[in-house]
């Protein structure tokens, strides 16, 4: 096995601090750092010098091109490569990157989703360098992270609003800190996204039209073995998987991505990678890169990486836990309760504001993770339910109960654990146990938002989270900045918030049957699919919070929600058309041929022995034939419904969610029943067993 010198190769493809320090003149370096660390506007006069240093470094790494790397509203990244060459008189060229080319680019924006915020003929869009996320060299190109805006200044990407939401939260948090006499230069949110994924063999994958076109299986009877043995979670890595993970880590480290934890997940063929947390905008970029690299590395190992939220029915789907906290540049984590949260006024106020924000804006928090893929997870007893609630754990739960319900609170002393064997060490025990079923769980010094889908951009939920918490901080600051008796008023304000928003706290099992009716009694939203969830973004009180915090304008907020619905409609349509194709061209002919063979055999047998027992064969023929007939009837219904989708994304998405999706489930039901009975020789594509258990 090759030995890696990780500290040496870590970040070797990144124009990081070490490279900047060694390639930039001192003054330029200092000026750039001020922009990165303290959010000061970039000094344009240094652009040429930085660009040149970046280019020289990139060329030394084998780069011939540069690209403004951006994140349009597609969950993917976009790039257009320009070479560094510049004619220099005579027949020669030089390699050049000017400050202007570093700072601004102009890709044609007309073919990216804009949600009607721009006429198609208005094509101008600009990419602007984001110096807070480092540039890197990949496959011969220098990648410059950028934000993407239109000619008229509307944001057309996921990064600009994310950065704006981080600025809003920075501003608002400093107001809160000031009340407590705490000064700092910058407050940043940090995120550690745990990424789940599936790996399937490439040869098997390529025989499934549904996987190729939609990323998930639209058909498939359950394999005889699923995840019931609970033996895959944390199980020993198979050699091919282990080699893949090693290659993946190595590649990610070379891009400066802090890949930390890797393990098998609950479902067969499912795995997870968790990085060490970092500032949110870098976490977003790193996660985009991680998803892309996972797919590429899998290809190198003869496998395909599936990032879809629900590639297989009947076993767990994939999510992305968004571990979120906020801290100052002086190292104070505002979500760290310390040993005595009951006496930590700042922490209690922050906690109360987060709880209030999550309760008030539960609709848009839920909507921020809504997609066709994620609809299969939320509410399917494997991911958190579609209802937003907050889990606080034993210690904080008891503390909040004491405030709201007047119960006694006995501060818990830190507990030491032991396994009861004298030789084994004594270790400190966390103050809270885990709760896997909560969508928004406090986990010691951070909140873990667990609803995000595996293929989604980390940006979306964080834009909402940062914005709504900033809003609540501003409301609190507004109130408390005028207070004459701060300590008393702050305590009273915190208690009031906790009382008003107590309904969103739920410290029990979110999968239990009692929770849905209980949540309904509490007046919590339960939007089970994208079509029902996204319209929360159209409500004026929800738009206002984005406008107030300077994150979206009214029209940007609306445009984004429209794109999300449009995307949902398009995704379901592609899935439906793929399903029709497979049902008509693969399943129907296969079942029909098998029934034909059974009939021919039966006729032949009967012609020799007239009273040959053949009840089973006859029954099989009848069942299969009626499955096929019923499936085709369901196909006809889906075709009719698809040809009659109303205009307008709201109406269309409603029709998709409530008519087309049930039609598709109906087709699948008959097809999967046929699969269970059909001869393996006739079944037209690999089964769940082939897909989930083929990797050795
Ligand atoms: P789990 O057991 O759910 O995997 P871990 O404690 O291992 O939880 O952490 C999961 C993720 O949370 C990691 O990516 C980790 O870096 C991240 N994380 C830890 N602390 C913070 C924090 N303060 N802010 C954001 N993310 C954090
Ligand atoms: Mg987790």
């Amino acid at each position: 096995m090759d030995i890696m010198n990780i500290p040496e190769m870590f970040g070797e493809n990144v124009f990081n601090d070490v490279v900047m320090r060694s390639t930039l003149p001192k003054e330029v370096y200092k000026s750039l750092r001020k922009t990165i660390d303290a959010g000061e506007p970039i000094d344009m006069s240094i652009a040429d010098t930085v660009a040149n240093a970046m280019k020289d470094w990139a060329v030394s790494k084998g780069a011939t091109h540069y690209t403004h790397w951006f994140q349009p509203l597609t969950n993917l990244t976009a790039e257009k490569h320009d070479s560094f060459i510049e004619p220099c008189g005579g027949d020669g060229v030089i390699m050049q990157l000017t400050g202007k080319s570093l700072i601004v680019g102009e890709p044609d924006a007309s073919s990216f989703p804009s949600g009607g915020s721009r006429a198609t003929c208005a094509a101008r869009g600009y990419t602007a360098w984001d110096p807070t996320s480092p540039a890197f060299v990949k496959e011969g190109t220098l990648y410059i992270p950028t934000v993407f805006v239109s000619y008229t200044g509307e944001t057309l990407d996921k990064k600009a609003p994310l950065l704006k939401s981080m600025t809003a939260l920075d501003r608002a948090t400093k107001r809160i800190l000031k009340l407590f006499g705490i000064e700092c230069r910058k407050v940043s949110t940090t995120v550690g996204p745990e990424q789940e994924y599936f790996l399937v063999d490439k040869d098997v994958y390529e025989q499934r039209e549904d996987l190729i076109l939609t990323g998930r299986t639209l058909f498939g009877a359950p394999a005889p073995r699923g995840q019931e043995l609970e033996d895959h979670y944390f199980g020993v890595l198979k050699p091919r998987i282990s080699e893949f993970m090693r290659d993946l880590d190595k590649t990610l480290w070379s891009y400066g991505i802090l890949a930390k934890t890797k393990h098998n997940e609950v479902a067969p063929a499912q795995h997870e990678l968790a990085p060490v947390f970092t500032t949110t905008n870098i976490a977003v970029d790193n996660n985009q890169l991680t998803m892309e690299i996972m797919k590429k590395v899998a290809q190198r190992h003869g496998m395909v990486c599936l990032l879809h939220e629900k590639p297989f029915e009947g076993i767990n789907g994939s999510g992305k836990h968004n571990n979120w906290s906020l801290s100052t540049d002086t190292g104070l984590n505002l979500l760290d309760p310390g040993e005595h949260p009951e006496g930590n006024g700042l922490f209690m106020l922050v906690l109360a504001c987060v709880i209030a924000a999550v309760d008030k804006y539960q609709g848009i928090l839920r909507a921020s993770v809504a997609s066709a893929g994620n609809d299969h997870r939320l509410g399917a007893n494997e991911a958190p339910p579609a209802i937003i609630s907050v889990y606080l754990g034993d210690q904080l739960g008891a503390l909040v109960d004491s405030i709201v319900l007047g119960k006694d609170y006995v501060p818990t002393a830190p507990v030491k654990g032991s396994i009861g064997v004298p030789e084994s060490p004594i270790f400190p025990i966390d103050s809270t146990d885990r709760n896997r079923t909560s969508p928004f769980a406090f986990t010691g010094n951070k909140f873990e938002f667990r609803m995000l889908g595996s293929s989604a951009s980390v940006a979306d939920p964080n834009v909402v989270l940062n914005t709504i918490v900033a809003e609540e901080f501003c409301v609190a600051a507004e109130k408390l900045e005028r207070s004459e008796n701060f300590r008393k008023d702050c305590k009273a304000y915190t208690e009031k918030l906790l009382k008003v928003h107590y309904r969103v706290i739920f410290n029990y099992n979110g999968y239990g049957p009692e929770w849905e009716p209980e949540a309904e009694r509490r007046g919590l939203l339960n939007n089970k699919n994208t079509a029902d969830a996204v319209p929360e973004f159209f409500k004026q009180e929800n738009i206002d919070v984005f406008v107030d915090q300077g994150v979206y304008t009214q029209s940007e907020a609306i445009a984004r929600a429209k794109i999300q619905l449009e995307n949902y409609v398009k995704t379901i349509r592609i899935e439906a058309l793929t399903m029709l194709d497979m049902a008509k061209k693969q399943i129907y002919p296969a079942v029909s041929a098998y029934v034909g063979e059974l009939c021919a055999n039966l006729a032949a047998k009967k012609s020799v022995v007239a009273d040959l027992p053949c009840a089973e064969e006859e029954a099989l023929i009848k069942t299969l034939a009626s499955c096929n007939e019923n499936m085709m009837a369901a196909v006809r219904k889906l075709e009719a419904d698809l040809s009659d989708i109303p205009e307008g994304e709201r109406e269309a998405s409603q029709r998709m969610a409530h008519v087309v999706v049930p039609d598709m489930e109906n087709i699948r039901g008959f097809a999967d029943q046929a699969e269970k009975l059909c001869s393996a020789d006739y079944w037209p594509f690999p089964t769940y067993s082939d897909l989930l258990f083929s990797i050795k």
Side-chain angles (χ1 to χ4, degrees):
M1 189 182 286
D2 57 323
I3 295 172
M4 299 182 226
N5 184 342
I6 299 162
E8 194 166 287
M9 55 86 73
F10 185 82
E12 66 186 359
N13 295 321
V14 186
F15 191 72
N16 56 19
D17 189 64
V18 179
V19 184
M20 277 191 252
R21 198 194 295 260
S22 65
T23 58
L24 295 173
K26 211 170 186 170
E27 288 313 306
V28 174
Y29 171 76
K30 269 200 206 153
S31 165
L32 186 57
R33 279 265 45 118
K34 266 193 204 151
T35 299
I36 298 170
D37 298 334
E40 287 184 17
I42 182 103
D43 170 3
M44 291 304 193
S45 70
I46 66 167
D48 276 325
T49 313
V50 177
N52 197 48
M54 250 189 210
K55 180 262 304 171
D56 284 344
W57 169 81
V59 168
S60 79
K61 293 261 152 206
T64 52
H65 288 67
Y66 71 95
T67 182
H68 274 200
W69 188 57
F70 60 103
Q71 298 173 21
L73 303 175
T74 57
N75 283 326
L76 300 172
T77 56
E79 53 195 44
K80 176 181 73 135
H81 303 240
D82 282 303
S83 73
F84 290 123
I85 64 162
E86 201 56 49
C88 68
D91 296 330
V93 293
I94 52 164
M95 301 297 263
Q96 191 179 57
L97 179 67
T98 62
K100 184 169 178 291
S101 311
L102 166 65
I103 285 181
V104 55
E106 197 196 327
D108 183 334
S110 59
S111 296
F112 292 104
S114 77
S117 66
R118 230 162 4 97
T120 323
C121 59
R124 263 183 206 273
Y126 297 99
T127 47
W129 179 35
D130 167 17
T132 60
S133 180
F136 54 93
V137 167
K138 181 164 70 72
E139 295 147 18
T141 294
L142 169 67
Y143 282 72
I144 301 166
T146 60
V147 296
F148 183 38
V149 295
S150 77
Y151 180 62
T152 44
E154 284 116 3
T155 59
L156 298 174
D157 73 343
K158 305 213 173 197
K159 281 305 287 297
L162 180 74
L163 294 171
K164 289 180 184 176
S165 75
M166 291 172 72
T167 305
L169 190 53
D170 169 53
R171 217 171 25 224
T173 312
K174 280 180 191 153
R175 285 177 73 181
I176 296 291
L177 288 171
K178 200 160 171 222
L179 294 169
F180 290 85
I182 300 172
E183 298 268 333
C184 69
R185 278 207 302 178
K186 196 170 178 183
V187 178
S188 305
T189 60
T190 50
V191 162
E194 302 165 57
Q195 176 74 50
E196 292 179 328
Y197 60 96
F198 279 86
L199 288 173
V200 296
D201 187 84
K202 189 161 169 284
D203 295 337
V204 182
Y205 166 92
E206 278 170 355
Q207 297 169 56
R208 297 273 321 206
E209 185 181 346
D210 47 4
L211 280 180
I212 293 171
L213 295 183
T214 72
R216 75 176 179 104
T217 54
L218 300 170
F219 296 101
R225 172 176 173 169
Q227 62 192 43
E228 59 281 82
L229 288 175
E230 298 175 333
D231 57 352
H232 195 252
Y233 191 53
F234 287 10
V236 173
L237 303 175
K238 290 175 180 161
R240 249 176 108 185
I241 302 297
S242 175
E243 279 164 33
F244 159 84
M245 287 181 170
R246 200 171 150 81
D247 195 359
L248 176 64
D249 279 337
K250 188 176 158 192
T251 315
L252 293 175
W253 289 332
S254 80
Y255 291 110
I257 296 171
L258 295 158
K260 180 82 174 167
T261 309
K262 55 185 180 185
H263 60 82
N264 285 346
E265 258 300 331
V266 172
Q270 193 186 28
H271 314 280
E272 180 181 297
L273 179 142
V276 178
F277 68 97
T278 176
T279 329
T280 307
N281 66 323
I282 295 180
V284 167
D285 287 3
N286 283 353
N287 182 253
Q288 289 296 149
L289 209 49
T290 300
M291 291 194 286
E292 179 194 317
I293 291 170
M294 277 178 162
K295 288 187 183 163
K296 285 185 178 159
V297 173
Q299 291 276 349
R300 287 211 283 272
H301 292 256
M303 298 186 284
V304 175
C305 172
L306 304 177
L307 292 171
H308 193 282
E309 283 75 16
K310 192 72 180 177
F312 305 101
E313 202 173 80
I315 56 172
N316 282 4
S318 299
K320 184 144 55 191
H321 289 177
N322 187 79
N323 293 276
W324 176 91
S325 76
L326 66 168
S327 36
T328 65
D329 62 326
T330 52
L332 171 67
N333 176 355
L334 292 161
L335 290 179
D336 187 351
E339 277 189 16
H340 293 287
E342 68 280 10
N344 186 342
L346 172 60
F347 171 77
M348 289 308 289
L349 177 62
V350 168
L351 179 73
C353 286
V354 172
I355 291 170
V358 170
D359 182 31
K360 265 195 207 165
Y361 302 106
Q362 50 180 284
I364 49 176
L365 197 54
R366 158 72 182 96
S368 73
V369 295
S371 68
N374 218 13
D375 283 357
H376 298 282
R377 280 177 75 235
L378 302 178
N381 277 12
E382 55 166 68
I387 308 159
I388 296 264
S389 67
V390 178
Y391 169 85
L392 293 176
D394 299 342
Q395 188 193 23
L396 281 187
L399 178 53
V400 170
D401 282 353
S402 77
I403 294 168
V404 175
L405 309 173
K407 287 187 185 168
D408 283 344
Y409 172 67
V410 187
T412 43
V415 188
K416 298 272 185 220
S418 153
I419 59 167
V421 176
E423 294 86 343
S424 76
I426 307 291
F427 47 90
I429 288 190
D430 289 318
S431 61
T432 54
D433 195 1
R434 286 166 182 275
N435 178 324
R436 283 182 56 86
T437 65
S438 175
F440 199 82
F442 185 74
T443 47
N445 61 358
K446 61 188 191 292
F447 273 103
E448 186 168 346
F449 183 44
R450 303 201 179 108
M451 278 182 154
L452 185 55
S454 49
S455 70
S457 162
V458 183
D460 298 323
N462 286 294
V463 168
V464 172
L465 208 46
N466 293 343
T467 307
I468 61 179
V469 172
E471 177 79 4
E472 273 312 301
F473 281 173
C474 287
V475 175
E478 211 60 54
K479 198 98 192 153
L480 297 170
E481 276 160 357
R482 280 182 259 133
S483 155
E484 313 242 304
N485 185 344
F486 174 67
R487 287 184 79 89
K488 184 168 155 273
D489 289 348
C490 180
K491 188 160 179 281
Y493 185 79
T494 302
E495 290 180 6
K496 195 184 117 206
L497 276 189
L498 290 174
K499 281 180 187 154
V500 172
H501 299 287
Y502 188 66
R503 64 171 188 166
V504 81
I505 297 170
F506 183 66
N507 283 323
Y508 309 99
N509 180 11
Y511 294 173
E514 328 71 59
W515 176 225
E516 247 190 88
E518 166 67 18
E520 195 178 339
R521 270 193 297 280
R522 295 187 187 192
L524 299 175
L525 292 171
N526 187 5
N527 289 322
K528 293 193 172 175
N529 58 58
T530 305
D532 294 340
V534 172
E536 288 291 320
F537 278 124
F538 296 124
K539 291 187 177 159
Q540 194 57 48
E541 67 266 29
N542 290 333
I543 295 175
D544 287 345
V545 66
F546 291 114
V547 177
D548 277 0
Q549 291 300 326
V551 174
Y552 295 136
T553 61
Q554 171 101 10
S555 62
E556 282 171 350
I558 292 171
R560 273 164 201 259
K562 282 187 177 175
I563 291 170
Q564 205 178 347
L565 286 179
E566 251 170 45
N567 198 295
Y568 171 77
V569 171
K570 286 176 189 167
T571 305
I572 302 285
R573 188 192 298 276
I574 291 169
E575 289 185 348
L577 292 175
T578 307
M579 197 163 205
L580 290 174
D581 211 45
M582 290 173 77
K584 288 194 290 190
K585 294 192 193 148
Q586 298 188 7
I587 299 173
Y588 184 82
V591 174
S592 176
Y594 181 47
V595 169
E597 189 197 277
L598 287 174
C599 288
N601 279 349
L602 191 59
K605 287 179 192 168
K606 279 193 170 172
S607 73
V608 179
V609 186
D611 59 350
L612 195 78
C614 50
E616 278 294 330
E617 245 164 319
E618 278 178 13
L620 181 59
I621 289 169
K622 278 189 193 151
T623 314
L624 274 173
S626 59
C627 276
N628 232 13
E629 282 299 304
N630 288 335
M631 182 185 76
M632 285 312 282
V635 160
R636 300 292 169 231
K637 169 147 180 5
L638 175 59
E639 283 175 331
D641 289 333
L642 270 184
S643 69
D644 185 31
I645 301 297
E647 294 280 314
E649 46 290 295
R650 284 184 79 155
E651 296 72 17
S653 63
Q654 283 296 324
R655 189 71 65 86
M656 289 300 186
H658 300 290
V659 178
V660 171
V661 170
D663 282 353
M664 289 168 64
E665 281 162 6
N666 210 11
I667 295 178
R668 178 172 187 156
F670 294 120
D672 289 359
Q673 202 187 338
E675 185 190 332
K676 287 184 202 153
L677 301 171
C678 187
S679 157
D681 293 339
Y682 280 82
W683 196 248
F685 39 73
T687 63
Y688 269 28
S689 296
D690 303 327
L691 286 162
L692 294 169
F693 297 97
S694 63
I695 291 175
K696 304 284 179 295

